[in-house]
Amino acid sequence: MINKRLLIKNLLAYNNENSFYDKKRLLDLDSKEGKSKFLKHICALSNANPYNNSYIIIGVEDEDNALTGVEFFDDSKIQNIVNAYLDNPPKILYENIHFPNLPKDRVLGLVTISPNQIVSSFKKSVGLIPKDTVYYRMGSMSMPVVGSFEVKRENESIVQSIRNSSTNKIKDTLDTVMAFVNRDHPDMNPQYIVFKEIFVLCWAGVKKSVKSGIYYSRVDIELINEQVRLFYSALDEVSINFTEDAFEIIEYISAKIKPKRDFFPFEKVSILFSENGDYSIQRQMLFEKPQYDRRLLQSMYAKSIELLAKIKSNAELNEEELKATHNIASTLMICHIQNYPEALHELKGFHNYLKEQDTYKLLPSVKGALRILRKLKYEVGGEN
């Protein structure tokens, strides 16, 4: 199997031409400019590498290859963006690769672009890129093609050599398991499971028993063979089940609108292991719009906005208000789902504020709420 951590190291060590991979410090799919840049590189790398994989590494400084990392990114709908804007889109895969020297909540993103022996082009404009544009990789640059263009073989032998030198070693697997158990999660009941005598999966989480069942928070799940982080969250509530063939995660949205806290099934992720040394990940959206009394929801929304104003003005909070701060993100998220027009704007504004000043440690909950809304957007509304 390919050790993705070794693959990234070997790609970064190959500094000549770089026509089969690119590196970025950040991935921005929310703005038109960021989306157009990402799609430009996907199109160019696909056209320049029709017979071998090509790659984009996220979380690396361009000048000196310093690994700065990015936040865990679990948007399974990233392929939808590529499909929406490109004709003959390549198949792409985004994976979160954990590196020991990075903080626990940061990874490197690895985008793998599968071979696609048909020319990719823009089927509609985005940002400053007009419709019908074709991009190609010239050294380390993604350039528009002038005139006719045909795909041709270029980097097969180089990429295959890099992949061959990135295969997993037994020592790598054992070292990573030991680090997961003893260094990264000693206080979170870490466990490992072996599937099909091949795949080693490690997971850890803080167990919570409530009347409706057993949930885990601060969950971290890694496929050790490939150094791929499959799931990571500082706050989300999840349930975990596994058989000899599969590992299943059900993620829940937690919200306290009424006196008691509600748990809504959000998404089921099933990791399926087969006898042929392969695995697949299936996702199923479970979310159904919750129903709340409109007056109750309006009251909770008004209290959240009032509390936001006090936080931003650095006003002193009483004990009840301090407890309520941890419900602001989920309240605004539910209100947006219930079609409150300003709720998302308030949530994004709060996110920007917390990036500069987070006295009450609320940024993880706000990030989690925005991540859920982004996934719901792609699932329900698609990519526009």
Side-chain angles (χ1 to χ4, degrees):
M1 292 184 182
I2 300 296
N3 182 317
K4 300 299 175 59
R5 192 184 296 164
L6 281 177
L7 176 62
I8 288 175
K9 289 181 177 179
N10 289 331
L11 285 170
L12 293 176
Y14 193 92
N15 292 314
N16 182 30
E17 294 299 318
N18 302 333
S19 59
F20 48 84
Y21 87 92
D22 199 357
K23 53 189 176 183
K24 299 295 175 188
R25 190 169 63 87
L26 296 170
L27 176 64
D28 173 22
L29 297 179
D30 292 328
S31 69
K32 287 185 178 180
E33 180 183 6
K35 190 183 298 182
S36 65
K37 287 182 178 179
F38 173 71
L39 290 166
K40 175 181 72 175
H41 296 311
I42 292 289
C43 181
L45 286 165
S46 178
N47 288 334
N49 298 275
Y51 294 94
N52 56 268
N53 287 346
S54 48
Y55 305 93
I56 302 176
I57 305 169
I58 314 295
V60 180
E61 293 292 342
D62 190 47
E63 292 184 0
D64 58 1
N65 280 354
L67 307 184
T68 53
V70 290
E71 294 177 358
F72 183 92
F73 183 80
D74 68 343
D75 196 334
S76 60
K77 305 304 175 185
I78 194 170
Q79 181 73 55
N80 287 5
I81 298 175
V82 176
N83 294 347
Y85 287 95
L86 296 185
D87 265 329
N88 303 317
K91 182 179 178 181
I92 67 169
L93 174 67
Y94 188 102
E95 296 173 296
N96 298 276
I97 313 302
H98 175 59
F99 275 72
N101 57 320
L102 292 175
K104 188 184 295 186
D105 62 342
R106 298 185 79 79
V107 295
L108 290 191
L110 177 64
V111 180
T112 301
I113 306 164
S114 296
N116 181 28
Q117 298 171 24
I118 309 174
V119 175
S120 293
S121 62
F122 280 79
K123 63 182 177 183
K124 60 181 179 181
S125 61
V126 55
L128 299 177
I129 301 176
K131 178 183 176 182
D132 297 326
T133 303
V134 175
Y135 278 89
Y136 185 76
R137 194 77 173 173
M138 302 290 291
S140 61
M141 303 294 291
S142 296
M143 306 293 292
V145 173
V146 179
S148 60
F149 173 76
E150 293 183 4
V151 296
K152 55 185 178 180
R153 297 176 183 269
E154 284 199 2
N155 297 310
E156 283 180 272
S157 60
I158 297 173
V159 173
Q160 187 58 50
S161 175
I162 290 174
R163 287 174 59 84
N164 290 342
S165 63
S166 305
T167 54
N168 217 16
K169 310 293 190 301
I170 293 177
K171 185 178 184 300
D172 296 328
T173 300
L174 293 177
D175 286 347
T176 307
V177 171
M178 295 302 293
F180 187 97
V181 172
N182 297 322
R183 183 193 65 202
D184 298 338
H185 309 287
D187 59 337
M188 295 169 59
N189 189 32
Q191 303 179 46
Y192 72 88
I193 311 170
V194 179
F195 291 94
K196 304 299 181 184
E197 302 295 331
I198 299 175
F199 301 96
V200 182
L201 184 146
C202 283
W203 70 281
V206 177
K207 186 176 180 179
K208 298 180 180 182
S209 297
V210 297
K211 289 183 178 180
S212 56
I214 296 175
Y215 302 93
Y216 296 88
S217 63
R218 295 172 57 197
V219 174
D220 191 358
I221 302 170
E222 293 185 23
L223 186 60
I224 300 301
N225 302 67
E226 301 190 5
Q227 270 62 15
V228 175
R229 178 169 277 171
L230 298 172
F231 188 91
Y232 178 81
S233 174
L235 293 173
D236 292 338
E237 313 289 344
V238 306
S239 64
I240 291 174
N241 297 285
F242 51 87
T243 66
E244 63 179 17
D245 300 315
F247 190 92
E248 180 183 275
I249 311 152
I250 297 180
E251 182 181 356
Y252 294 82
I253 295 176
S254 172
K256 190 175 182 182
I257 303 295
K258 297 183 288 188
K260 67 180 183 68
R261 183 168 293 278
D262 292 323
F263 294 90
F264 305 104
F266 177 60
E267 184 181 36
K268 180 169 72 173
V269 179
S270 300
I271 308 163
L272 309 176
F273 300 95
S274 58
E275 298 286 355
N276 65 356
D278 198 5
Y279 73 95
S280 62
I281 299 178
Q282 297 180 357
R283 300 177 183 269
Q284 179 186 358
M285 189 62 66
L286 305 176
F287 184 73
E288 294 183 2
K289 187 175 179 178
Q291 300 299 319
Y292 284 108
D293 179 83
R294 197 72 180 177
R295 287 175 296 180
L296 174 62
L297 203 61
Q298 180 62 41
S299 174
M300 293 297 296
Y301 178 72
K303 289 179 180 178
S304 294
I305 297 301
E306 181 181 346
L307 193 52
L308 273 180
K310 294 191 71 171
I311 292 173
K312 291 179 179 180
S313 65
N314 293 317
E316 185 175 351
L317 305 182
N318 60 40
E319 185 175 347
E320 182 179 349
E321 289 172 331
L322 285 172
K323 291 181 180 179
T325 59
H326 297 285
N327 299 318
I328 293 175
S330 61
T331 299
L332 293 177
M333 176 183 66
I334 292 294
C335 287
H336 173 71
I337 292 171
Q338 300 288 345
N339 300 320
Y340 277 63
E342 294 299 317
L344 183 59
H345 174 75
E346 295 288 351
L347 188 61
K348 289 182 176 180
F350 193 34
H351 175 258
N352 292 334
Y353 170 82
L354 292 176
K355 287 193 294 186
E356 301 296 329
Q357 182 176 341
D358 189 13
T359 304
Y360 302 106
K361 309 300 181 185
L362 302 176
L363 186 57
S365 65
V366 174
K367 287 180 178 178
L370 289 171
R371 179 184 64 83
I372 287 170
L373 291 178
R374 184 181 69 243
K375 294 186 75 172
L376 282 176
K377 170 189 172 183
Y378 288 135
E379 181 69 23
V380 177
E383 173 61 31
N384 297 315

